[in-house]
DNA sequence: CAAGTTTTCGCCCGGTAGGCGAAAACCTGG
DNA sequence: CCAGGTTTTCGCCTACCGGGCGAAAACTTG
């Protein structure tokens, strides 16, 4: 989500939301405040620090050090945003201000990595979804197609998915109705990645 | 590596090395400069941003926002450090100043994670080593024992290890002389973690 | 009821981690 | 020089997991 700058520097280029750090808040509280005040995004499903961007000349004028965040909203939320603000596909960004394109690339890479080796998917998916819908979400976020069969198997084996029992209404072209799933609520915070050199004689999967 | 504070605040407590950001450097250049100037650590085998610590009251007095780094030196380097500075096992830290214990815990966790799912081991190991020595390094960093057999297999299968052909001198209690290995130089930068949801029909391991 | 569409599931394959024990290769003491 | 002890190395087995494929299931429309 970017907003189009009206004034110099970098007028008419697109910029990430953000702003200065207040005296009584930490950086995470600050970015949550900025998003709530400026673009009315309050339903963040996941927020994590990305990196500090601190090149001396990253913005003209006085030195500005930025702490960049990765913030996710569920695919079924559609916050109202100001008229100068819009969503952009991360693969086809418009001309961006400052180093914001590099920040977006980093965020995209972080998202793809964490989707693969943690349970971060819950932050993108709506409360209930079909495997096909989840496959689309993962494919979009990862940047390549994944198999619905394999996605369901991997997430199920990790104990992240559970069927709701209901089925989704069928589309206009027919087909077998898809079963609805949800992420198990106990796992709705980001877990550690799968460790490959495990402690002896313990299985830390399947819990 | 911590240094003992002589003055208030938090006199006699132990503190991470660091300091203010200069006007013409970014944060990574700054921490490298601090380590080189203050404690003569110039042989960093790996440096990465850890997180920003920005609680308003994390230090008394004026607001200080810290960008914490994870910095590694190879196990065979022993930089000379000032008299007020010493190495401490991360499991038995002395009383630390400010929030530095939390920073150390985060760094330890990051190190253990990356050792498991990337090739970061090269940053800890000397140029040549036996599997037993490497096993000790990994066990110390991870906090639990790993099997030498499995460690060698996993790292070899990823194409990270290669034998030098030489063998190490035997110890005082005899035993079969251990073969020496090195990390293959082509892999001496941190690679992406192993992706578990791969693009269709491609093997992105073994390259 | 036939043809088409979409989802679901079972089956197989290969690759990978983990564990175990035998064999190899050295030492020292008798 | 051989027996016993020590450490490393290697082969074998098992369990598990990701990936692929195709058949069956369950719906639609004509």
């Amino acid at each position: 989500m970017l907003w189009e700058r009206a004034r110099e520097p970098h007028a008419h280029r697109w910029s990430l939301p953000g702003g200065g750090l207040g005296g009584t808040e930490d950086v995470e509280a600050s970015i949550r405040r900025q998003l709530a005040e400026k673009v009315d995004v309050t339903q963040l499903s996941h927020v994590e620090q990305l990196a500090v961007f601190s090149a001396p000349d990253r913005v003209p004028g006085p030195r500005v050090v930025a702490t960049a965040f990765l913030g996710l909203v569920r695919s079924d939320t559609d916050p109202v945003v100001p008229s100068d603000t819009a969503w952009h596909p991360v693969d086809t960004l418009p001309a961006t201000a400052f180093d914001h394109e590099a920040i977006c690339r980093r965020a995209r890479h972080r998202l793809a990595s964490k989707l693969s080796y943690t349970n971060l998917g819950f932050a993108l998916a709506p409360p209930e979804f079909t495997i096909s819908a989840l496959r689309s979400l993962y494919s979009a976020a990862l940047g390549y197609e994944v198999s619905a069969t394999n996605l369901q198997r991997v997430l199920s084996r990790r104990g992240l998915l559970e069927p709701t029992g209901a089925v989704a209404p069928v589309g206009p072209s027919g087909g077998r109705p898809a079963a609805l799933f949800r992420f198990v609520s106990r796992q709705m915070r980001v877990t550690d990645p799968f460790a490959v050199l495990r402690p002896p004689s313990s299985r830390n999967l399947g819990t």
Side-chain angles (χ1 to χ4, degrees), chain A:
Chain A
M1 191 183 68
L2 301 171
W3 62 279
E4 189 176 7
R5 299 178 62 85
R7 292 194 294 256
E8 294 294 341
H10 287 201
H12 307 301
R13 300 174 79 97
W14 293 79
S15 195
L16 286 164
L21 174 64
T24 60
E25 62 185 2
D26 64 14
V27 285
E28 181 172 327
S30 179
I31 189 62
R32 287 183 183 274
R33 176 178 59 81
Q34 310 281 349
L35 291 174
E37 289 179 359
K38 294 192 178 175
V39 291
D40 199 39
V41 176
T42 56
Q43 316 270 332
L44 290 161
S45 55
H46 176 71
V47 172
E48 75 174 53
Q49 282 190 28
L50 194 59
V52 170
F53 288 78
S54 60
D57 58 349
R58 61 177 289 276
V59 302
R63 175 67 167 274
V64 176
V65 172
T67 303
F69 276 80
L70 170 65
L72 302 179
V73 296
R74 287 209 323 239
S75 66
D76 60 329
T77 61
D78 191 14
V80 290
V81 296
S83 60
D84 60 350
T85 305
W87 295 95
H88 295 271
V90 73
D91 286 325
T92 57
L93 290 183
T96 54
F98 315 125
D99 52 0
H100 290 192
E101 185 176 341
I103 296 176
C104 291
R105 276 200 304 266
R106 279 279 275 280
R108 207 276 165 86
H109 187 260
R110 174 78 64 93
L111 172 61
S113 299
K114 287 219 164 181
L115 267 188
S116 175
Y117 62 80
T118 75
N119 62 343
L120 189 56
F122 75 82
L124 298 178
E128 300 193 347
F129 48 84
T130 66
I131 297 297
S132 294
L134 193 65
R135 191 199 71 85
S136 298
L137 269 180
Y138 270 74
S139 297
L142 290 172
Y144 51 79
E145 297 295 302
V146 297
S147 141
T149 299
N150 201 32
L151 179 66
Q152 178 175 11
R153 171 173 38 219
V154 168
L155 296 183
S156 296
R157 197 131 53 181
R158 291 179 184 171
L160 304 182
L161 285 188
E162 74 185 358
T164 68
V167 295
V170 297
S173 61
R176 175 172 173 169
L180 287 174
F181 289 81
R182 72 171 78 93
F183 278 93
V184 306
S185 55
R186 183 168 44 83
Q187 303 281 19
M188 297 279 275
R189 48 200 173 72
V190 178
T191 57
D192 276 339
F194 173 77
V196 70
L197 288 166
R198 300 186 187 84
S201 301
S202 81
R203 299 284 175 274
N204 55 7
L205 269 197
T207 56

